[in-house]
Amino acid sequence: MTSSSPFECRTEACCVASRCVWQNRSAGVVKTGAMVVAFMMWSSIGFAAVPVVDSTGIETGETVPAEPGAGNTTESLPGETSGGSGQVAPDSGQDASTSAGSTASDPMAEIEERPEEPPPFDYSPYRVLIWISSDNPRIDADLIRDDLLDFLDRDFYSVWRTVVADAPSAVASIARRDLGAITFASIAASDPVIALKKGHPDSLRIHFASDAGRFLDEIPGTQGRIQEILKRIEQNPESQTTPAKFAWKDKLRAIDGDAVTLQKMWKDESTEAILVSRGVADTLDEPRAKLIVPPLDGQVVDAIEQFDKIYIARLETKASPPNVQVIELDTLMRHFGVVTKRPMVSTSDLAGSVGGAIRDAFSPVVRIDEAGQKNATGLVRAAGLALDENSPAHVQIGDVLEPLVRKDDRKGKPITIGPLDWAYLYVKEKTGNSVEMDFFAGRMGGLQGRKNNRTHRMGIVIRPQRDDTMLRLHAKGRPDQPLIGYEIYDKELDSKSMTFVGRTDWNGRLTVGKIDRPLRLLYVKNGGAVLARLPMVPGHHEVTVADLAGDDMRLQAEAYIRGVQNAIIDLVAVRELFKARISMRIKEGKLKEADELLEMLRNEPSNEKIANDMGKKQTMFLKAIGRNANQQRKVDEMFSTTRELLSKHINPKIVNDLETALIEANKRSGGAPAEAETPSDEESPPAE
């Protein structure tokens, strides 16, 4: 498949859905009977204009008509002329007016063109941009484009509309340093923007760079950045055809200084706007900045808006061994996948190495239509275009998806965006292009909410590249305080049985490996209490960190309470022993010894003393626990139960009864000692 534009459909099935004119690469003839009819109908009407794409794969907004006869072999229906854009066939013998008249009488010409409607989600092909970053200047996108597209056609012929281009300089620079550390902010931060003060009198009128050229007196910027922008404008053919679009460049003024100087100028009241990178513009405040994106080729943000998935391919030909690394960016969610690495067998098979890595990095997208607390239903993108059951575009039963949520403001800018923490979707049933999934999350909610045009809920299939993942637990807000010796259990997805996995080490770490199912539902326990539920896909990430409220204080409180309860039991036994010995001394008339024993009994810990100590300890534990309501409730329950035990068994009644018996014995000390009534404990069990 070839096309006059690199932004091509590369699909038979989606030609009908997306109204794309496609060409056969080898013979220039449309395949399959149904598509012959569709193609001939479009041939009779005329080839649609194709978009002009710049060097980075971004549409410039300009269109050019498809060249007639450039490898296109078409057939016409009876009574119709062949040729491009309504041209008359050379052998027809008709002039232009005759042709126009026959066209007007043609029933096809009477059909009014209707506004294009987007295809259904499950029949909408992915718009894919592949950025090539190589350490060898002789290897670029032009060298491998055709072979790479041929390779990708094997798996994505009907589901991708692909553009291959060299990566922008800022993206290539970051990719060469560390592809795994790349973020949306890092690649978009280098885009030049015009930062306009929101308090400017014409702020509401300035929406585009052309507006800035009309309403602003000057736009200061550094010399290097302005020279770069002017060079990019000169290289853009559109600057010659529509010079008014770039009239704002005349307002650029180079300063003697760097970005720090521009930031100082921002606070000057005479400064209307400055030309800086997006990263610097995001830091401007007092006043805040309104960002105007100039119409320049190679803007990363423009690529984000025009494509569904972007793949950054890093070719390391000078490494040992040579390899290809690819990372996927889902543009809607601005979410990067994991780095996929493949060895580079030889420079003659670059397309195979790059294409294989891209295929491994590809993650199908599911639009979540219905979501509950424990389940969700979604539609798989482009699944209707993938006729092969084994196509990578399909989502299979048993696949695990990472749920992502994006909420936009009224201007379409994301307020919240990204994956849900400790949450996964597990595909349990598939019906046509729809899938039903179980939702496992460490926290309640997440996917639920009202449907509206500004909220997007998606699931991206996970393809683990590693054999295990290192799990680390630390105290909430304290990364330097690991949770040591915490127990990790694995619970079955469809039952309550649990299997012990292991304990965290001195640094709160535990290696969790793969098992027969990709999703593992881990439970964190400490002292028999469940602290957290952590759904996890081993191999998805190299290291994953859980920020948990530590349970050590609750355990210390529990240990203290157990000690108090044991002391109460011992004290009850000691008091009963004193009661028996004092009663015996009173009965034998040894009143002096009885009085000494009674004094020793009075010196034993009393109810008030133990209760006061418990109150002080309870206050200390609750303060150390903080705002964890669950742990505070458990500590309060333990102390409340112990207070009931204390008031039940440790009270002054036994001492008062013995004192009364001793006083009566002293009154009878002149005669035979009377048999003292043995004081009974207030909780003595009834006689059987």
Side-chain angles (χ1 to χ4, degrees):
M1 298 289 296
T2 58
S3 173
S4 58
S5 167
F7 192 72
E8 58 181 342
C9 178
R10 311 192 59 75
T11 168
E12 296 180 3
C14 77
C15 281
V16 178
S18 59
R19 300 291 187 186
C20 295
V21 178
W22 65 277
Q23 302 164 324
N24 186 282
R25 181 181 297 246
S26 58
V29 182
V30 180
K31 301 178 181 178
T32 75
M35 291 308 305
V36 168
V37 177
F39 185 73
M40 288 193 299
M41 292 174 63
W42 278 97
S43 299
S44 63
I45 299 173
F47 287 106
V50 295
V52 175
V53 182
D54 62 25
S55 60
T56 61
I58 302 173
E59 293 185 23
T60 62
E62 180 184 358
T63 58
V64 296
E67 298 179 3
N72 293 297
T73 303
T74 62
E75 299 179 15
S76 302
L77 293 173
E80 296 180 353
T81 59
S82 63
S85 302
Q87 296 180 358
V88 182
D91 58 349
S92 63
Q94 297 176 339
D95 56 13
S97 61
T98 306
S99 175
S102 63
T103 303
S105 62
D106 190 350
M108 291 293 296
E110 297 178 0
I111 301 177
E112 296 182 359
E113 293 190 6
R114 299 178 180 178
E116 292 291 340
E117 295 182 359
F121 188 78
D122 51 339
Y123 284 90
S124 177
Y126 292 91
R127 298 170 300 169
V128 176
L129 171 62
I130 301 174
W131 271 333
I132 303 298
S133 173
S134 174
D135 60 357
N136 188 340
R138 293 180 295 178
I139 299 176
D140 57 7
D142 293 334
L143 178 66
I144 66 174
R145 178 180 291 110
D146 291 340
D147 293 337
L148 178 59
L149 293 176
D150 286 338
F151 182 93
L152 294 174
D153 277 349
R154 304 173 188 175
D155 296 301
F156 306 107
Y157 182 76
S158 60
V159 296
W160 277 15
R161 295 169 60 188
T162 311
V163 173
V164 181
D166 290 317
S169 57
V171 176
S173 177
I174 298 174
R176 284 193 291 268
R177 291 197 299 269
D178 186 1
L179 191 60
I182 197 169
T183 62
F184 173 80
S186 64
I187 63 174
S190 61
D191 281 350
V193 295
I194 300 173
L196 172 69
K197 290 183 177 179
K198 286 193 172 182
H200 191 275
D202 297 315
S203 176
L204 297 178
R205 301 180 182 180
I206 300 176
H207 300 283
F208 306 101
S210 57
D211 300 331
R214 288 190 300 158
F215 292 100
L216 300 181
D217 294 332
E218 64 176 12
I219 307 174
T222 60
Q223 294 182 0
R225 187 174 299 278
I226 290 179
Q227 291 176 1
E228 176 193 1
I229 288 179
L230 294 177
K231 182 179 179 180
R232 290 165 67 175
I233 293 176
E234 291 176 359
Q235 294 175 351
N236 190 346
E238 193 176 3
S239 63
Q240 304 298 327
T241 58
T242 56
K245 185 177 180 180
F246 299 92
W248 56 273
K249 67 182 178 63
D250 298 330
K251 300 296 181 70
L252 298 177
R253 180 178 67 84
I255 65 168
D256 295 331
D258 53 9
V260 177
T261 305
L262 281 175
Q263 288 179 294
K264 294 180 180 179
M265 292 180 60
W266 178 257
K267 298 184 180 298
D268 190 345
E269 295 182 358
S270 61
T271 302
E272 298 177 300
I274 57 177
L275 180 69
V276 291
S277 65
R278 182 179 293 271
V280 174
D282 289 337
T283 63
L284 298 176
D285 55 2
E286 297 181 3
R288 299 189 61 183
K290 178 179 179 180
L291 304 187
I292 309 298
V293 181
L296 299 173
D297 296 342
Q299 292 277 57
V300 174
V301 174
D302 289 342
I304 297 295
E305 295 176 353
Q306 294 191 26
F307 293 91
D308 301 310
K309 287 184 178 290
I310 296 178
Y311 294 90
I312 304 175
R314 172 185 177 184
L315 281 63
E316 291 188 317
T317 61
K318 300 178 182 179
S320 181
N323 63 85
V324 176
Q325 299 180 30
V326 174
I327 192 169
E328 178 191 73
L329 168 62
D330 184 88
T331 59
L332 176 64
M333 294 298 173
R334 301 182 180 180
H335 175 66
F336 282 92
V338 297
V339 177
T340 301
K341 187 174 183 179
R342 275 207 167 203
M344 188 182 299
V345 180
S346 64
T347 55
S348 61
D349 190 27
L350 286 175
S353 301
V354 177
I358 293 175
R359 180 184 55 200
D360 295 341
F362 171 67
S363 299
V365 175
V366 174
R367 185 187 67 196
I368 300 173
D369 297 326
E370 300 290 340
Q373 291 185 354
K374 296 184 179 179
N375 50 57
T377 303
L379 192 64
V380 184
R381 178 160 190 173
L385 301 176
L387 303 181
D388 186 359
E389 295 181 355
N390 299 321
S391 171
H394 286 304
V395 176
Q396 307 296 341
I397 295 177
D399 283 346
V400 180
L401 290 79
E402 187 174 16
L404 302 100
V405 176
R406 170 174 174 162
K407 296 182 180 180
D408 295 339
D409 58 14
R410 295 182 179 180
K411 297 181 180 180
K413 296 182 179 180
I415 302 173
T416 60
I417 188 172
L420 301 179
D421 292 336
W422 296 102
Y424 292 98
L425 292 163
Y426 185 78
V427 180
K428 65 176 182 179
E429 188 174 344
K430 182 179 180 181
T431 305
N433 300 331
S434 300
V435 290
E436 294 185 7
M437 303 163 285
D438 288 333
F439 180 58
F440 298 95
R443 300 180 179 89
M444 298 299 295
L447 284 179
Q448 293 178 295
R450 294 181 179 180
K451 289 185 177 181
N452 56 67
N453 295 330
R454 296 190 311 206
T455 301
H456 309 274
R457 299 178 178 89
M458 299 289 178
I460 297 181
V461 176
I462 294 174
R463 310 291 190 195
Q465 303 292 328
R466 301 176 177 85
D467 295 329
D468 52 45
T469 295
M470 177 69 71
L471 172 65
R472 185 178 188 270
L473 308 180
H474 67 75
K476 193 173 185 64
R478 296 288 304 276
D480 58 339
Q481 185 177 336
L483 302 182
I484 303 172
Y486 281 51
E487 302 171 353
I488 308 298
Y489 289 84
D490 183 12
K491 179 181 176 296
E492 297 290 337
L493 300 182
D494 52 358
S495 68
K496 296 183 178 179
S497 61
M498 288 191 178
T499 304
F500 179 70
V501 178
R503 296 177 184 270
T504 55
D505 61 10
W506 62 272
N507 198 21
R509 300 172 302 181
L510 177 67
T511 301
V512 181
K514 291 183 178 179
I515 56 175
D516 54 350
R517 50 181 166 83
L519 178 63
R520 304 190 70 172
L521 193 56
L522 304 181
Y523 280 79
V524 181
K525 289 186 177 182
N526 191 27
V530 177
L531 301 181
R533 180 174 67 172
L534 303 177
M536 184 177 179
V537 178
H540 183 210
H541 298 291
E542 182 179 0
V543 179
T544 182
V545 180
D547 188 4
L548 304 180
D551 200 39
D552 293 338
M553 270 300 156
R554 185 195 63 81
L555 289 181
Q556 292 183 24
E558 183 177 350
Y560 169 76
I561 285 298
R562 288 181 179 178
V564 173
Q565 292 174 352
N566 291 333
I568 291 175
I569 295 174
D570 293 341
L571 184 56
V572 168
V574 170
R575 286 162 65 90
E576 288 295 330
L577 179 60
F578 270 111
K579 181 183 72 173
R581 294 177 64 183
I582 292 172
S583 298
M584 183 180 296
R585 297 297 187 275
I586 293 175
K587 185 176 180 180
E588 294 175 353
K590 300 178 181 178
L591 302 182
K592 185 177 180 180
E593 295 181 7
D595 186 60
E596 292 175 354
L597 292 174
L598 183 59
E599 184 63 25
M600 295 175 63
L601 177 60
R602 293 191 188 99
N603 293 331
E604 291 294 328
S606 63
N607 182 300
E608 292 78 7
K609 184 178 183 304
I610 297 176
N612 291 337
D613 292 341
M614 287 177 57
K616 295 177 181 179
K617 286 289 186 180
Q618 183 178 8
T619 302
M620 183 192 71
F621 287 128
L622 293 178
K623 183 178 180 180
I625 289 174
R627 297 182 178 180
N628 192 315
N630 186 36
Q631 293 189 22
Q632 286 186 349
R633 178 181 53 81
K634 291 179 179 180
V635 170
D636 288 337
E637 289 178 355
M638 289 188 296
F639 274 86
S640 177
T641 302
T642 306
R643 284 193 178 91
E644 293 178 1
L645 181 66
L646 179 64
S647 61
K648 181 178 180 180
H649 294 287
I650 307 298
N651 53 61
K653 187 176 183 302
I654 186 174
V655 177
N656 294 337
D657 290 343
L658 289 173
E659 288 177 346
T660 302
L662 183 58
I663 291 172
E664 292 179 355
N666 284 327
K667 291 180 180 180
R668 298 190 300 268
S669 61
E675 183 176 351
E677 295 182 1
T678 303
S680 60
D681 194 357
E682 59 273 14
E683 296 296 334
S684 298
E688 297 182 359

